[in-house]
């Protein structure tokens, strides 16, 4: 029910990604289009689109950061003190992921590698940015829900990347 409360932050990114993945998986399966090849193709552009979307978060004032007196602090109209522009940190990080994935494709060793690389890099970035977010409350042991999702996602995608790349080593 809370996912429908859009004015309170419903449809967060990980949930949207899961739903999008399930829809894409179903569509690709019906049309008999290979999932891993498709993931390799779209992952860089998913990072780019997400990067642009985070600029929208900045303009909207959502996904905001904690108060700061660093040189990066930004005043928002509804805040009395400067806060971290975590939306811009995320946007910049996702744009870097986009560029990295475009280069990574040139040395790809196995089908699905770029999709896994996206999941790995995004989960690491999201884990870090969450420490600066002011709108995410800790849910367990000081970690936010996004961090608790990012940890296993990074471990699993990182392990699959390492294992599959290791299998592809010639010699």
């Amino acid at each position: 029910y809370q996912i429908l409360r859009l004015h309170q932050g419903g449809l967060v990114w990980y949930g949207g990604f899961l739903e999008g993945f399930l829809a894409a998986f179903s569509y690709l399966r019906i049309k008999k289009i290979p999932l891993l090849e498709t993931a390799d193709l779209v992952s860089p552009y998913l990072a780019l689109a997400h990067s642009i979307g985070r600029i929208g978060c900045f303009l909207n004032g959502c996904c905001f950061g904690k108060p700061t007196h660093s040189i990066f602090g930004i005043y928002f109209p509804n805040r009395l003190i400067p806060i971290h522009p975590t939306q811009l940190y995320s946007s910049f990080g996702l744009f870097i992921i986009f560029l990295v994935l475009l280069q990574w494709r040139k040395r790809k060793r196995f089908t699905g590698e770029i999709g896994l690389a996206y999941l790995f890099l995004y989960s690491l970035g999201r884990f870090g940015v969450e420490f600066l977010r002011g709108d995410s409350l800790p849910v367990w042991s000081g970690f936010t829900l996004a961090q608790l999702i990012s940890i296993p996602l990074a471990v699993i995608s990182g392990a699959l990347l390492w294992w599959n790349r290791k299998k592809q080593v010639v010699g």
Side-chain angles (χ1 to χ4, degrees), residues 31-112:
K31 295 293 186 177
K32 297 182 184 349
I33 300 170
L35 174 68
L36 296 179
E37 289 175 18
T38 304
D40 284 345
L41 178 67
V42 303
S43 290
Y45 306 103
L46 181 60
L48 178 61
H50 195 177
S51 173
I52 294 167
R54 285 296 183 190
I55 294 170
C57 292
F58 176 74
L59 296 174
N60 188 47
C62 63
C63 308
F64 56 87
K66 292 178 179 175
T68 182
H69 293 291
S70 77
I71 61 170
F72 299 112
I74 291 181
Y75 284 94
F76 278 83
N78 59 345
R79 306 268 180 237
L80 298 175
I81 58 174
I83 59 175
H84 281 285
T86 52
Q87 315 94 324
L88 297 181
Y89 301 161
S90 293
S91 180
F92 180 73
L94 284 157
F95 187 74
I96 296 300
I97 290 172
F98 163 69
L99 296 175
V100 166
L101 294 179
L102 286 180
Q103 291 302 309
W104 197 321
R105 288 194 313 193
K106 296 176 184 175
R107 55 184 172 82
K108 180 176 91 163
R109 293 187 186 169
F110 64 91
T111 304

Side-chain angles (χ1 to χ4, degrees), residues 1-13 16:
Y1 172 71
Q2 290 182 343
I3 196 169
L4 300 176
R5 295 182 182 175
L6 299 180
H7 62 287
Q8 293 178 346
L11 299 176
V12 294
W13 192 86

